[in-house]
């Protein structure tokens, strides 16, 4: 039986080790997922700030974990330092359901799960809990981030450490050129980094960006804002902000 979306091709921009679930979900609907990873997870410039924070975790009231990649890096560093992240320890806030699930699989007790890494969402969820408290925020190394200042305005003392950094794979430009040689109907974005990196990859591949005739599907408001800054208005945004909803949003857009 031919599925109704069998002739549709969708760009999947997630890191290679994370693309499987998204690609499988699209494939189940008959879509042809075209994987062009524009992200690779690398260690931060230095582990010293993260290591120091983990060695003094007893001084923090809250630990905010922003992604599954953050959890992987934090757990690996804690293991290498022979440290325990389990009780007794700070309360843990995991951003989004996928991060919370990754935390639980790592044996961590999650106190709170703010829906998204957006200032309003985090402040609403944490404000009364972190006022006057010490907070450790572990995340990817990024150039611009308003979240720490928004949390500090609640009266919290916030220490930000880089757990990893996103880099562009060396083969990304060649892969994008090959993918764009045939029609692409939509592109999925599971993070802001995937949007900014695809723009850089397109520039390196000498392909006009935004990609002509391609509908962008965003996982959430932060990614949507980044796409709009890049002059690419998403055709849809996942609700809730997770991979199953991103798959559903993509299918809905392609079925319209």
């Amino acid at each position: 039986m031919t599925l109704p979306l069998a002739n549709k091709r969708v760009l999947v921009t997630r890191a290679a080790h994370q693309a499987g679930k998204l690609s499988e979900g699209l494939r189940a609907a008959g879509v042809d997922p075209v994987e062009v990873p524009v992200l690779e997870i690398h260690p931060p410039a230095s582990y010293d700030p993260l290591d120091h924070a983990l060695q003094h975790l007893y001084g923090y009231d809250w630990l905010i974990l922003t992604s599954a990649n953050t959890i992987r890096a934090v757990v690996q560093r804690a293991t290498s330092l022979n440290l325990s992240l389990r009780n007794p320890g700070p309360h843990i806030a995991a951003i989004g359901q996928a991060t919370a699930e990754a935390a639980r699989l790592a044996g961590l007790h999650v106190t709170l799960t703010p829906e998204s890494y957006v200032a309003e969402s985090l402040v609403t969820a944490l404000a009364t809990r972190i006022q006057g408290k010490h907070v450790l925020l572990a995340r990817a190394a990024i150039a611009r981030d308003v979240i720490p200042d928004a949390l500090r305005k609640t009266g919290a003392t916030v220490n930000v450490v880089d757990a990893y950094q996103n880099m562009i794979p060396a083969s990304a430009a060649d892969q994008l050129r090959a993918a764009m040689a045939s029609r692409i109907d939509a592109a999925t974005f599971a993070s802001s980094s995937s949007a900014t990196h695809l723009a850089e990859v397109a520039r390196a591949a000498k392909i006009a960006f935004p990609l002509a005739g391609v509908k962008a599907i965003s996982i959430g408001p932060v990614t949507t804002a980044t796409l709009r800054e890049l002059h690419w208005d998403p055709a849809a945004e996942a609700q809730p902000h997770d991979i199953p909803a991103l798959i559903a949003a993509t299918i809905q857009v392609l079925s319209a």
Side-chain angles (χ1 to χ4, degrees):
M1 181 181 72
T2 302
L3 295 172
L5 300 180
N7 64 334
K8 302 296 185 181
R9 300 176 77 241
V10 172
L11 201 63
V12 174
T13 57
R14 297 200 85 191
H17 73 283
Q18 293 179 307
K21 185 177 179 181
L22 178 53
S23 292
E24 288 166 12
L26 293 171
R27 198 174 289 114
V31 175
D32 180 15
V34 182
E35 293 185 9
V36 178
V38 297
L39 304 170
E40 276 181 347
I41 308 304
H42 287 256
S46 170
Y47 275 123
D48 289 348
L50 176 59
D51 288 354
H52 184 268
L54 292 176
Q55 288 166 333
H56 296 83
L57 200 58
Y58 55 82
Y60 292 96
D61 301 293
W62 280 87
L63 169 61
I64 301 178
L65 300 169
T66 56
S67 68
N69 287 322
T70 300
I71 291 167
R72 188 177 300 110
V74 166
V75 169
Q76 287 175 351
R77 292 311 297 170
T79 300
S80 71
L81 296 167
N82 198 29
L83 299 172
S84 173
L85 296 174
R86 297 175 177 83
N87 292 333
H91 293 291
I92 293 176
I95 311 301
Q97 293 300 327
T99 307
E101 180 61 24
R104 293 186 186 104
L105 289 174
L108 305 179
H109 175 72
V110 176
T111 304
L112 192 67
T113 307
E115 188 58 37
S116 60
Y117 192 66
V118 179
E120 293 79 4
S121 173
L122 277 177
V123 169
T124 298
L126 286 166
T128 59
R129 298 171 182 248
I130 64 173
Q131 186 176 11
K133 304 293 187 182
H134 288 79
V135 177
L136 177 62
L137 172 60
R139 58 163 200 199
I142 51 179
R144 183 182 55 162
D145 190 359
V146 300
I147 299 295
D149 285 341
L151 294 176
R152 290 180 185 116
K153 286 177 182 176
T154 69
T157 300
V158 182
N159 182 26
V160 181
V161 292
D162 297 337
Y164 66 97
Q165 57 182 326
N166 288 312
M167 301 187 74
I168 296 175
S171 61
D174 288 340
Q175 286 184 296
L176 182 61
R177 273 192 292 264
M180 295 298 292
S182 300
R183 187 194 75 256
I184 294 289
D185 298 285
T188 56
F189 296 94
S191 67
S192 286
S193 295
S194 64
T196 55
H197 282 207
L198 184 62
E200 291 184 45
V201 170
R203 194 177 305 116
K206 293 182 170 52
I207 294 172
F209 189 90
L211 305 180
V214 179
K215 295 178 179 178
I217 318 295
S218 164
I219 198 168
V222 177
T223 304
T224 294
T226 300
L227 283 164
R228 286 176 176 152
E229 287 176 6
L230 295 167
H231 309 293
W232 197 352
D233 198 31
E237 180 181 294
Q239 295 288 346
H241 312 311
D242 57 22
I243 295 301
L246 182 61
I247 294 167
T250 303
I251 292 170
Q252 184 173 13
V253 166
L254 294 176
S255 301

